[in-house]
Amino acid sequence: MRKPLIVGNWKMNGSRESVRALLLAITANEDVGCDRIVCPPFVFMDMAAGLVQQSVVELSAQNLESNKAGAFTGEISAAMLADVGCSHTLIGHSERRELFGETDEIVAAKCMAALDGGLVPILCVGETLTEREAGETESVVLRQVNEVIKIVGIEGFSRSIVAYEPVWAIGTGKSATAEEAEAVHMLIRKRLAEESERVGEKIRILYGGSVKPENAKALFAMEDIDGALVGGASLDADSFLAICEAAAR
Ligand code: PEP
């Protein structure tokens, strides 16, 4: 049985004060029946690590640099993140792909760097509205997954998490229906199971795209949806915890 997981992506929001308040509220409630991870901006990671130390809440970066060290001004490596107590990292979030030019190859290299550095990659995949309307959802998602399989191998996925995030549902208030999401989750799991039945069965696949307390239960009722990657609603402790409660099995 896969344990449900809720990941809060705080994006480029917050201050020392608001990050502290949010973490105090999220870590106060230990018994929510699912795993919880939050992704603060890099600059608050060290402080966040101190605040989650006595709790079950874990930390994820929102991105990393695939090179290990050296002349990469402004970048952060997997080793640096691990050093400050970060255990996971988002890779290939659609905002990174769209706004910062991250190709499938770059995303795959970043997954490899995360695994090499001892971090768990949370690989984000998903189609744009144009791609969905052109009937390309399956081919786009499979291309994104296949590119990573090529570089990290199926064993890399045994130490990874996947987040299916239809781009048209991110930050738009327009979530995929539970059935639409489940169809893609099944597709991803089936593809990974073709390489390894064990990995396909074990891997947690999260849904992301306008998840709120109101639509969470229906999504989590689906067989292949193991939790959520939550943006906007994760900035409010009550909403985040309500989504966690909806995921608890
Ligand atoms: C996200 O940023 O990954 C996300 C899913 O955002 P939102 O929940 O706001 O749609």
Side-chain angles (χ1 to χ4, degrees):
M1 179 106 137
R2 299 179 294 269
K3 187 164 184 198
L5 167 64
I6 305 298
V7 180
N9 176 15
W10 294 350
K11 311 196 186 193
M12 196 175 73
N13 291 298
S15 60
R16 283 175 62 83
E17 202 181 317
S18 69
V19 164
R20 179 182 296 278
L22 199 44
L23 280 174
L24 287 178
I26 288 170
T27 54
N29 185 348
E30 286 296 331
D31 187 21
V32 291
C34 72
D35 287 339
R36 276 166 290 168
I37 298 175
V38 291
C39 315
F42 284 140
V43 71
F44 303 127
M45 192 65 77
D46 203 12
M47 181 187 82
L51 290 165
V52 301
Q53 219 171 26
Q54 306 299 328
S55 84
V56 296
V57 174
E58 293 179 284
L59 296 177
S60 169
Q62 299 174 15
N63 178 34
L64 52 55
E65 160 56 33
S66 57
N67 283 286
K68 284 195 166 70
F72 301 98
T73 301
E75 296 297 323
I76 311 278
S77 71
M80 290 171 182
L81 291 164
D83 190 34
V84 296
C86 176
S87 52
H88 293 67
T89 180
L90 301 183
I91 305 275
H93 188 280
S94 66
E95 287 151 19
R96 300 292 320 168
R97 292 181 191 256
E98 278 194 355
L99 305 174
F100 299 96
E102 292 194 6
T103 60
D104 290 339
E105 290 74 21
I106 291 172
V107 167
K110 288 189 174 196
C111 278
M112 194 69 235
L115 290 165
D116 277 349
L119 299 179
V120 176
I122 303 173
L123 168 66
C124 304
V125 298
E127 81 288 1
T128 62
L129 185 58
T130 314
E131 289 163 341
R132 173 160 282 259
E133 286 175 348
E136 291 168 2
T137 299
E138 295 195 359
S139 60
V140 167
V141 169
L142 288 177
R143 189 201 71 223
Q144 292 170 335
V145 170
N146 285 336
E147 196 61 42
V148 180
I149 296 177
K150 212 158 72 186
I151 301 300
V152 308
I154 192 63
E155 278 316 309
F157 276 87
S158 71
R159 294 183 282 137
S160 303
I161 293 164
V162 174
Y164 167 57
E165 299 207 299
V167 180
W168 47 272
I170 298 179
T172 58
K174 186 173 176 238
S175 171
T177 64
E179 291 73 20
E180 282 169 335
E182 171 65 7
V184 182
H185 282 236
M186 268 175 65
L187 176 82
I188 296 168
R189 196 177 300 289
K190 187 165 153 267
R191 173 68 194 98
L192 296 174
E194 277 168 17
E195 300 289 324
S196 160
E197 228 172 278
R198 175 180 50 82
V199 173
E201 179 52 39
K202 181 178 157 249
I203 193 161
R204 291 191 283 190
I205 306 177
L206 313 179
Y207 168 77
S210 299
V211 176
K212 299 180 270 306
E214 300 77 45
N215 60 13
K217 239 329 297 155
L219 288 160
F220 301 152
M222 295 289 145
E223 180 69 26
D224 293 290
I225 300 182
D226 304 312
L229 176 52
V230 186
S234 72
L235 291 167
D236 177 85
D238 290 341
S239 295
F240 184 70
L241 289 171
I243 294 169
C244 292
E245 273 167 32
R249 288 203 175 113

